[in-house]
Amino acid sequence: MRSSHENVDIVFLLAALIAIPYSYQAPESYINQDYPDSKYEIIIANNNSTDDTAAVLNHWKLKYPNKIKVFFEKRQGVHYARNAAAPLSKG
């Protein structure tokens, strides 16, 4: 596990808006890649979804607490989600 001040090489910034089917699949595909865990992180913005996307994202956050960060962005739009996610990254 890396310390909070270490940088990573790759940051995946994902926006999830009414994305139940993708919310189940996308995080798993990033986690299962063949790249060192200490070299990447995943940040997912719940982009003001009105379905159960938040619950699915919370599942991933709890399953991989050192790898996946999830936060809520009330302004809908991938640009808002990614711009809000970027400052949270260690990359």
Side-chain angles (χ1 to χ4, degrees):
M1 187 167 100
R2 63 182 183 271
S3 67
S4 61
H5 66 276
E6 289 184 56
N7 287 344
V8 296
D9 295 337
I10 299 172
V11 180
F12 298 105
L13 303 176
L14 309 174
L17 173 60
I18 310 173
I20 287 292
Y22 306 107
S23 297
Y24 284 108
Q25 299 166 357
E28 193 77 51
S29 67
Y30 289 106
I31 291 291
N32 288 333
Q33 66 184 317
D34 188 20
Y35 198 73
D37 282 348
S38 63
K39 299 290 187 177
Y40 73 95
E41 67 181 337
I42 302 165
I43 302 174
I44 308 172
N46 174 358
N47 204 199
N48 204 4
S49 294
T50 56
D51 62 0
D52 288 332
T53 295
V56 176
L57 297 180
N58 191 50
H59 159 80
W60 289 113
K61 178 181 169 181
L62 293 174
K63 187 172 181 178
Y64 299 102
N66 296 322
K67 182 58 53 191
I68 297 178
K69 295 177 189 173
V70 175
F71 72 99
F72 180 80
E73 172 54 52
K74 68 179 179 179
R75 299 168 296 173
Q76 290 183 347
V78 70
H79 57 290
Y80 290 122
R82 289 184 182 149
N83 288 337
L88 301 176
S89 111
K90 296 175 188 168

